[in-house]
Amino acid sequence: EVLTLRPDQLDEATAQVLRARFGKLRKIRVARSAILSDAEAATLCHFDDVSQVKLFDMRITDAALRSVCRLPKLLSLTIGEQTKISAAGISRLQQVDSLEQLTIHDVRQVPLGDLVSFPHVYQLQFFSCTFQETSFRMFARLPQLRRLAIIDFQGLTDQHVANLAQIRQLDSVNL
């Protein structure tokens, strides 16, 4: 079951009702052009069985992302457009050992070096991002990585493509 919520629906009382009604809830999508406050993000912890979170059209902050990273069974995270996430916020994703899929939109200076420590990530997608490191060779350090998408990256060079071509475990690359 997938549940789409607005940030103002993330209070503890609502969480209790939703857990009772949707006992098998595993996916939450939070969407609305608003700021997901730190307090609202913290209430996501009431959904401790959730494995997929999609945050779309939200000006979420690094502090809100920290709360999302505390979900114990988080497998898939999408950080949509209009975020206010910094490179430091993205670095905090390292604490999510269970993460298998990560999609990031519109983050400047993504610290690739911090993202290559995920032992289980098999899918990474970047849309309209820039990167701190210029070598894509470091994606080879993700032993489970099979699918990689780097869309609307303005600095793509022949060297980037050559680096990606050397990563044997990739089944799919979308540039």
Side-chain angles (χ1 to χ4, degrees), residues 137-170:
R137 222 175 305 162
M138 62 183 54
F139 288 121
R141 290 191 235 156
L142 291 164
Q144 302 301 319
L145 186 63
R146 298 296 179 263
R147 294 192 296 263
L148 177 65
I150 303 173
I151 309 300
D152 292 329
F153 174 55
Q154 303 303 316
L156 189 66
T157 66
D158 290 342
Q159 186 61 49
H160 288 120
V161 175
N163 289 342
L164 293 174
Q166 294 174 8
I167 303 174
R168 302 282 182 225
Q169 77 264 24
L170 287 175

Side-chain angles (χ1 to χ4, degrees), residues 16-170:
Q16 289 175 352
V17 170
L18 292 173
R19 270 198 317 266
R21 170 70 176 89
F22 301 101
K24 295 182 180 181
L25 182 66
R26 300 291 180 266
K27 300 176 184 179
I28 291 181
R29 177 179 183 212
V30 182
R32 192 174 109 196
S33 287
I35 294 176
L36 180 64
S37 73
D38 300 341
E40 290 164 337
T43 61
L44 284 171
C45 70
H46 300 298
F47 300 98
D48 55 355
D49 282 335
V50 168
S51 61
Q52 182 181 72
V53 174
K54 293 184 177 185
L55 302 168
F56 288 101
D57 296 323
M58 309 274 318
R59 292 183 300 268
I60 72 169
T61 66
D62 290 351
L65 182 60
R66 223 179 0 258
S67 294
V68 172
C69 290
R70 290 188 190 116
L71 291 169
K73 297 179 183 176
L74 185 63
L75 300 176
S76 177
L77 176 61
T78 298
I79 300 170
E81 298 173 358
Q82 298 187 23
T83 62
K84 299 294 181 187
I85 303 294
S86 69
I90 294 297
S91 293
R92 289 192 185 100
L93 291 174
Q94 293 180 76
Q95 71 189 34
V96 186
D97 291 335
S98 59
L99 201 62
E100 295 178 350
Q101 299 177 56
L102 176 62
T103 301
I104 301 173
H105 292 258
D106 294 321
V107 173
R108 302 290 164 243
Q109 298 300 304
V110 173
L112 292 180
D114 292 343
L115 295 182
V116 296
S117 63
F118 295 115
H120 306 293
V121 166
Y122 67 86
Q123 178 174 298
L124 279 176
Q125 297 181 77
F126 301 96
F127 295 87
S128 302
C129 293
T130 62
F131 304 97
Q132 287 180 0
E133 297 84 359
T134 56
S135 173
F136 288 170
R137 222 175 305 162
M138 62 183 54
F139 288 121
R141 290 191 235 156
L142 291 164
Q144 302 301 319
L145 186 63
R146 298 296 179 263
R147 294 192 296 263
L148 177 65
I150 303 173
I151 309 300
D152 292 329
F153 174 55
Q154 303 303 316
L156 189 66
T157 66
D158 290 342
Q159 186 61 49
H160 288 120
V161 175
N163 289 342
L164 293 174
Q166 294 174 8
I167 303 174
R168 302 282 182 225
Q169 77 264 24
L170 287 175

